[in-house]
Amino acid sequence: MLNKIQKAAVLALLFSGGIAYAQRVVSDFNQDWRFFKPLNSTYTLDFPNGQDLKLGMVDLWENVNLPHTFNKEDMQKDRNFFTGDVVYQKSFTPDARHKDKRIFLRFEGVGSVAKIYINNKYIGEHKGAYSQFAFEITNSLIPDKENVISVVANNQARKDVIPVNQFLFPIYGGIYRPVSLITTDKTQFTVTDNASPGILISQKNVSAKSADIEIKARLNTTETTIQNAVLETSILDKSGKVVASKKENVKVSPQGTTYIIQNLAIKNPHLWDGIRDPYLYKVVSQLSENGKIIDELQQKLGLRTVEIIPGKGVLLNGKKYPMYGVSRHQDEWGYGSALSYEQHQRDMEMMKEMGVTTLRLAHYQQAPQMYDLADEYGFLVWAEIPFVNAVSYQESENAKQQMVELVKQNYNHPSIFIWGVHNEVYSKTKDEQVPVLSRQLNEIAKTIDPYRFTGAVNGFSNVDRQENLSTDVQGINHYYGWYNGEIKDLEAWAENLEKNFPQYKVFLTEYGADGNMDIGSEKVEKPKNVVSGNWFPENYQTETHIQQWAIIERYPIISASYVWNMFEFAVPMWNRGGVNARNLKGLVSFDRKRKKDSFYWYKANWNPQPMIYLANRRDNIRKNSTAKIQAFSNMKNVKFIINGKEFTPKQGVNNKHWVLENAPLQKGENLIKVVAANAKEVLTDEMTWILE
């Protein structure tokens, strides 16, 4: 039997054309757009009448579906990419069934400044490529007639919009994330509160015995009188059983916003325990009038506690949690940032395969689907705004806006445990722009959400810089052995941290090295020029990760660490490592088709599923008759077989690293195998090296 909540949802879906919660209809609005891009970026569009955008008899419009970016090719090749005004248009006729309803447009991401028009009438502007935004268009639509929606998008770097440049990563232009058309009753959960979900769910006093849940609802109405309504919130477990509920009468004022707080409690809750058990409840909030549901929202709820204890690490629900971390940029070769849900999910599956438990979504708010997936997969997430790389002294207001949007839009995700306020921006004193703005951003995050940590990141090795001391946690980006020093210097840094800053909560938020999979090398050598050189062999990246992960796991003062980066990504201003416009620090190729040796190193260390992998297979052209051969495996009793002869390796930097020194090679082809067995299975891997 269906309960009343389930019945209402079924009926709503039967009688609507989109995703519906009672009287709210959320419709896909991504098909049948048209797109215009000028021939050069100096062409400015205050607002074009779309019907007149023609050159002689040649129609310059292109038919597109969303998501769409006009930079999926040029930004991935070199610095000669287009930025400037472009136009998207879509015609639609409002559904006659929605005549007395309210209608909104919600954009999940437009790069970077968007101006919205309905029938040539200006509706509003949004600044920032990475956060969602929503506008009400009810009063600008013509009922029963075709209406034209126009979006003028511009992805030029601006001093008043973060990020203020395109040096570390590109700002892809266009409506590169989905758009929804939302239809509601005149009385509703607010849609336009920084595109937040309409209810904010806080959890308090969480334990295995009980949990207190606070629901903050924002209600509004366009009726001319106070609306007498009923607000009912229920929490359902995975089976659909109601485990807690609260029902109360509310008066929704036609003036301003009506704020309602509901408190619920769950006995013996099933906790969200990260990758160990990412259990999710469902929160259903319904607004009713005269016994009829007029609006409904559904949100996930994962009950958990997160602690960070210097010297011990991160505790999830009171138990030590393995912080196996990577960072991720949202672009892909041939697609730019216009990715589908399936592409986001595939990225998460690759991380899961490697054994990832925590994810830094850098350096900006990413697609809402990524946070949904993190909830489902059980990844702890560091979420941040793009106050990154450079300071213009004109970005303060936009940074604050994006901080509010990040927190409000993603407040209900149990996976998020830190709000990041900046990355690698600097000042000389505590009184200058970065420390002052960072304190303000921290205050915004803490005011909206006092229950999560905040974090700030710098690229220096010292943890007492003024830019990083305004937040609960500080991240250090440092590439020992790449931009300076030697690979092993990470250990001296960790020892200093342990000795002199034992009470600091510190994460190693970036580390690693570039590695070109198409450049093999017999010797492990650091490239001579890591800024403009073209020779970045993969084996140096592999060696960096082998040594540095072994250091990280020995020093719990490093509470968490994040490999930079899970995937290669575009940097149009760069020409390094033999591939133009590319950051090669990823563990997986830009097109997601090839995994580097380092990927398998972390898989051996992080994923308990039995595996074995021979490293350096692309360093297959050899000149020396003896060689070091290494394998990565989380199994015991590992054996090497070289040209039919068996050898017993020694353990290297840890018990996942198997090394055979001075292995003999013969002229020509050498078949190298590795074998490991346990009580259930035998695993093998093999490769061929050629001795010239």
Side-chain angles (χ1 to χ4, degrees):
M1 295 292 290
L2 297 175
N3 59 39
K4 64 179 182 178
I5 293 173
Q6 293 168 326
K7 287 180 180 177
V10 170
L11 289 171
L13 284 168
L14 287 173
F15 294 102
S16 71
I19 300 172
Y21 304 129
Q23 297 301 310
R24 175 177 295 223
V25 180
V26 182
S27 303
D28 182 306
F29 208 62
N30 298 305
Q31 306 301 310
D32 303 321
W33 287 75
R34 59 180 193 159
F35 167 71
F36 167 77
K37 183 180 80 171
L39 297 177
N40 61 70
S41 59
T42 61
Y43 192 95
T44 301
L45 302 167
D46 292 328
F47 177 64
N49 180 337
Q51 303 302 319
D52 296 331
L53 272 179
K54 296 188 177 186
L55 181 62
M57 299 299 292
V58 181
D59 193 338
L60 297 178
W61 288 101
E62 174 188 353
N63 295 323
V64 300
N65 294 323
L66 306 180
H68 174 267
T69 176
F70 52 87
N71 293 124
K72 68 179 183 179
E73 295 180 1
D74 58 357
M75 276 190 162
Q76 299 188 340
K77 293 179 179 179
D78 55 43
R79 63 179 62 216
N80 299 309
F81 53 84
F82 178 92
T83 62
D85 283 343
V86 300
V87 185
Y88 292 84
Q89 283 195 339
K90 179 178 173 65
S91 299
F92 90 110
T93 301
D95 192 323
R97 295 174 296 176
H98 300 156
K99 183 178 180 180
D100 295 321
K101 303 295 183 181
R102 297 171 68 181
I103 301 177
F104 302 81
L105 283 174
R106 183 178 66 209
F107 296 82
E108 294 183 13
V110 180
S112 161
V113 175
K115 295 179 180 179
I116 314 301
Y117 301 82
I118 306 294
N119 300 320
N120 294 356
K121 177 183 177 182
Y122 177 69
I123 299 298
E125 179 183 59
H126 180 265
K127 296 178 180 178
Y130 304 105
S131 48
Q132 302 179 68
F133 59 96
F135 287 109
E136 182 165 7
I137 60 173
T138 308
N139 304 298
S140 300
L141 294 174
I142 304 172
D144 304 319
K145 290 188 178 181
E146 186 175 77
N147 292 260
V148 178
I149 297 173
S150 301
V151 179
V152 178
N154 188 307
N155 67 326
Q156 288 176 325
R158 290 173 42 161
K159 291 183 178 181
D160 63 332
V161 180
I162 57 172
V164 298
N165 65 27
Q166 311 224 30
F167 182 73
L168 287 183
F169 54 90
I171 306 171
Y172 290 95
I175 309 178
Y176 72 93
R177 289 185 191 152
V179 179
S180 299
L181 186 75
I182 301 174
T183 305
T184 74
D185 194 86
K186 290 183 179 179
T187 304
Q188 53 148 241
F189 294 99
T190 302
V191 176
T192 54
D193 176 26
N194 294 282
S196 66
I199 57 172
L200 299 183
I201 307 169
S202 301
Q203 46 187 286
K204 307 173 184 178
N205 307 314
V206 175
S207 71
K209 294 182 178 180
S210 64
D212 297 327
I213 297 97
E214 178 188 83
I215 311 292
K216 291 182 179 179
R218 290 176 61 113
L219 310 175
N220 71 88
T221 185
T222 55
E223 300 282 8
T224 57
T225 60
I226 291 175
Q227 299 299 292
N228 295 305
V230 175
L231 176 61
E232 182 173 10
T233 295
S234 301
I235 301 176
L236 289 72
D237 65 15
K238 276 193 174 181
S239 71
K241 178 184 176 182
V242 176
V243 297
S245 63
K246 181 70 177 289
K247 184 176 182 179
E248 62 184 289
N249 296 323
V250 297
K251 293 183 180 295
V252 184
S253 172
Q255 295 177 291
T257 301
T258 300
Y259 298 86
I260 304 294
I261 295 178
Q262 293 183 313
N263 292 293
L264 299 89
I266 300 178
K267 292 183 178 180
N268 304 314
H270 191 149
L271 300 182
W272 185 92
D273 203 28
I275 60 163
R276 299 183 292 226
D277 184 11
Y279 188 90
L280 294 168
Y281 290 93
K282 181 165 63 176
V283 175
V284 181
S285 289
Q286 296 175 330
L287 194 62
S288 303
E289 285 184 348
N290 301 317
K292 176 186 174 183
I293 298 172
I294 59 173
D295 201 4
E296 178 178 308
L297 295 176
Q298 296 184 12
Q299 292 285 293
K300 296 173 185 175
L301 169 64
L303 296 168
R304 84 291 184 273
T305 63
V306 181
E307 301 171 81
I308 303 172
I309 302 177
K312 293 185 178 181
V314 175
L315 274 60
L316 181 61
N317 302 321
K319 298 175 291 184
K320 184 169 174 57
Y321 188 72
M323 295 294 283
Y324 302 151
V326 296
S327 295
R328 185 244 193 190
H329 267 297
Q330 66 179 7
D331 61 341
E332 181 176 339
W333 175 253
Y335 294 90
S337 57
L339 304 185
S340 65
Y341 173 82
E342 290 73 21
Q343 288 170 299
H344 293 306
Q345 187 177 42
R346 178 216 51 212
D347 282 3
M348 297 293 268
E349 279 293 323
M350 295 179 79
M351 295 179 210
K352 181 180 179 181
E353 177 195 347
M354 199 172 77
V356 167
T357 65
T358 181
L359 178 59
R360 183 183 177 208
L361 290 176
H363 289 299
Y364 40 76
Q365 183 171 334
Q366 297 200 12
Q369 294 85 358
M370 285 298 294
Y371 303 101
D372 290 336
L373 288 165
D375 295 341
E376 295 167 11
Y377 280 65
F379 295 168
L380 284 177
V381 170
W382 174 307
E384 63 189 59
I385 62 171
F387 183 27
V388 55
N389 175 241
V391 179
S392 70
Y393 302 97
Q394 298 177 32
E395 68 273 276
S396 292
E397 291 309 309
N398 186 251
K400 294 173 188 177
Q401 168 206 310
Q402 293 198 43
M403 194 80 239
V404 171
E405 292 170 333
L406 175 72
V407 178
K408 284 194 171 184
Q409 290 170 18
N410 300 288
Y411 188 96
N412 296 339
H413 290 287
S415 56
I416 296 175
F417 75 115
I418 286 186
W419 303 115
V421 305
H422 76 235
N423 180 84
E424 295 183 2
V425 283
Y426 306 107
S427 293
K428 293 181 179 180
T429 71
K430 292 182 179 180
D431 303 329
E432 295 179 58
Q433 165 81 346
V434 174
V436 171
L437 180 53
S438 295
R439 290 194 290 271
Q440 293 169 338
L441 295 171
N442 179 77
E443 186 65 23
I444 288 170
K446 286 293 191 180
T447 299
I448 301 171
D449 180 9
Y451 308 107
R452 285 184 175 91
F453 297 101
T454 54
V457 177
N458 78 54
F460 293 94
S461 60
N462 47 321
V463 298
D464 54 355
R465 287 186 62 90
Q466 58 274 3
E467 301 94 350
N468 265 27
L469 295 176
S470 62
T471 56
D472 303 315
V473 178
Q474 60 176 302
I476 299 296
N477 300 342
H478 214 74
Y479 295 85
Y480 290 103
W482 189 249
Y483 292 119
N484 54 57
E486 298 181 17
I487 295 172
K488 63 185 175 80
D489 292 345
L490 177 63
E491 184 157 26
W493 175 78
E495 288 175 348
N496 177 66
L497 194 63
E498 209 168 47
K499 179 181 178 181
N500 296 311
F501 302 94
Q503 296 180 323
Y504 277 41
K505 298 181 180 72
V506 179
F507 290 3
L508 184 61
T509 36
E510 292 181 25
Y511 70 101
D514 287 69
N516 187 331
M517 297 175 77
D518 297 316
I519 298 179
S521 176
E522 187 170 20
K523 295 181 179 180
V524 178
E525 296 179 300
K526 179 181 176 180
K528 293 180 180 179
N529 188 334
V530 299
V531 174
S532 58
N534 288 315
W535 188 77
F536 291 178
E538 182 191 359
N539 66 2
Y540 186 80
Q541 179 194 52
T542 305
E543 186 66 20
T544 299
H545 286 293
I546 289 172
Q547 291 192 36
Q548 295 195 340
W549 171 249
I551 294 169
I552 291 167
E553 67 177 350
R554 290 199 302 270
Y555 286 87
I557 192 67
I558 304 173
S559 297
S561 59
Y562 295 88
V563 173
W564 188 263
N565 197 281
M566 182 67 191
F567 305 102
E568 295 177 350
F569 59 94
V571 187
M573 299 300 188
W574 286 15
N575 184 356
R576 305 178 181 182
V579 182
N580 201 21
R582 187 79 55 84
N583 187 309
L584 295 167
K585 293 184 180 68
L587 306 181
V588 179
S589 62
F590 197 14
D591 61 7
R592 277 46 169 188
K593 293 181 179 179
R594 296 192 293 170
K595 299 168 183 174
K596 300 180 184 180
D597 286 352
S598 300
F599 175 96
Y600 294 98
W601 168 243
Y602 286 108
K603 183 176 180 179
N605 281 272
W606 296 353
N607 188 338
Q609 183 176 350
M611 62 84 67
I612 196 163
Y613 177 82
L614 277 167
N616 307 109
R617 60 190 58 216
R618 284 172 287 275
D619 303 323
N620 59 327
I621 305 301
R622 319 297 291 190
K623 294 182 179 180
N624 296 313
S625 59
T626 60
K628 174 183 175 180
I629 299 175
Q630 56 186 352
F632 310 145
S633 180
N634 50 18
M635 300 177 73
K636 298 179 180 179
N637 304 315
V638 174
K639 301 291 184 181
F640 285 104
I641 302 172
I642 304 172
N643 298 321
K645 185 176 180 180
E646 186 175 294
F647 297 85
T648 300
K650 295 181 179 180
Q651 287 193 335
V653 297
N654 65 12
N655 61 5
K656 310 298 190 299
H657 187 212
W658 301 89
V659 179
L660 181 63
E661 298 282 0
N662 300 312
L665 302 179
Q666 64 187 21
K667 289 288 185 180
E669 288 192 358
N670 291 262
L671 180 60
I672 302 169
K673 295 183 179 181
V674 64
V675 181
N678 59 25
K680 295 182 179 180
E681 59 187 330
V682 177
L683 297 182
T684 65
D685 193 20
E686 64 179 56
M687 65 183 179
T688 299
W689 280 359
I690 298 172
L691 178 62
E692 293 182 336

